[in-house]
């Protein structure tokens, strides 16, 4: 069965409470030009629905004054994530491990899609490694 490469409304990290929880309780690392915040929360820490993996992206107004530039960066970041998320998504589904990921673009210049795509691959591999270290939820 061929998987659809989508990033629907249910997969977006939009809840202010959940975003605050990711920043407050989650872990983070740098993968220039991104700062990655993530939270793997066994149990009920993240509201579990059909989609266990939530994703969000942000760009600083300080570095990019024009909304057009910020929106372009967010668009190509979401596109790179959408095309490469299946490995992490499968692992999260298999372990029944809800997860929330938030990327902040920290670079100072507009990126090219191929650079962003490569960095997203590095980030997802690192998140897969982190998810493997978490024991499966005891139901």
């Amino acid at each position: 069965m061929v998987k659809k490469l989508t990033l629907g409304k249910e997969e977006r990290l939009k809840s202010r409470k959940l975003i605050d929880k990711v920043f407050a309780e989650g872990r983070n690392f740098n993968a220039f030009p991104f700062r990655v915040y993530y939270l793997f929360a066994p149990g009920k820490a993240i509201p579990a629905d059909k989609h266990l993996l939530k994703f969000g992206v942000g760009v600083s107004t300080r570095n990019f004054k024009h909304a057009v530039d910020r929106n372009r960066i967010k668009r190509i970041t979401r596109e790179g994530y959408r095309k490469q998320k299946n490995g992490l998504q499968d692992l999260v589904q298999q372990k029944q491990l809800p997860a929330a990921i938030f990327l902040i673009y920290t670079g100072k210049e507009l990126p090219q899609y191929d650079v962003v795509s490569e960095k997203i691959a590095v980030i997802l591999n690192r998140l897969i490694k982190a998810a493997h270290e978490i024991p499966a939820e005891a139901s």
Side-chain angles (χ1 to χ4, degrees):
M1 182 171 139
V2 177
K3 283 195 167 198
K4 287 189 174 182
L5 299 175
T6 61
L7 185 60
K9 186 167 84 168
E10 306 84 23
E11 297 176 76
R12 305 264 174 110
L13 182 57
K14 297 183 290 186
S15 164
R16 174 55 63 189
K17 286 182 182 178
L18 188 50
I19 292 170
D20 289 343
K21 186 174 212 133
V22 169
F23 284 111
E25 300 173 15
R27 305 190 68 180
N28 61 56
F29 62 89
N30 284 325
F32 187 80
F34 291 102
R35 178 111 176 128
V36 181
Y37 292 86
Y38 65 96
L39 179 64
F40 291 112
K44 304 287 184 201
I46 295 177
D49 56 12
K50 182 179 153 193
H51 298 281
L52 295 174
L53 185 60
K54 304 274 187 185
F55 175 79
V57 62
V59 181
S60 171
T61 307
R62 180 193 302 167
N63 295 337
F64 297 95
K65 304 293 186 213
H66 303 287
V68 173
D69 296 335
R70 293 192 301 273
N71 292 339
R72 175 167 166 53
I73 294 169
K74 290 188 282 190
R75 190 178 318 115
I76 63 177
T77 303
R78 283 192 301 261
E79 179 74 2
Y81 171 79
R82 178 185 71 84
K83 287 186 173 181
Q84 301 178 46
K85 69 178 179 175
N86 285 337
L88 181 60
Q89 193 172 34
D90 292 342
L91 180 63
V92 165
Q93 292 288 343
Q94 174 188 347
K95 289 184 128 187
Q96 287 298 303
L97 182 70
I101 304 164
F102 198 89
L103 271 58
I104 297 178
Y105 184 81
T106 58
K108 304 269 190 232
E109 38 191 66
L110 283 172
Q112 295 297 319
Y113 173 74
D114 55 345
V115 173
V116 170
S117 183
E118 289 173 14
K119 286 301 179 175
I120 296 288
V122 169
I123 290 167
L124 290 175
N125 286 335
R126 190 157 172 189
L127 289 170
I128 288 170
K129 191 193 294 188
H132 275 299
E133 295 170 0
I134 297 173
E137 179 183 2
S139 297

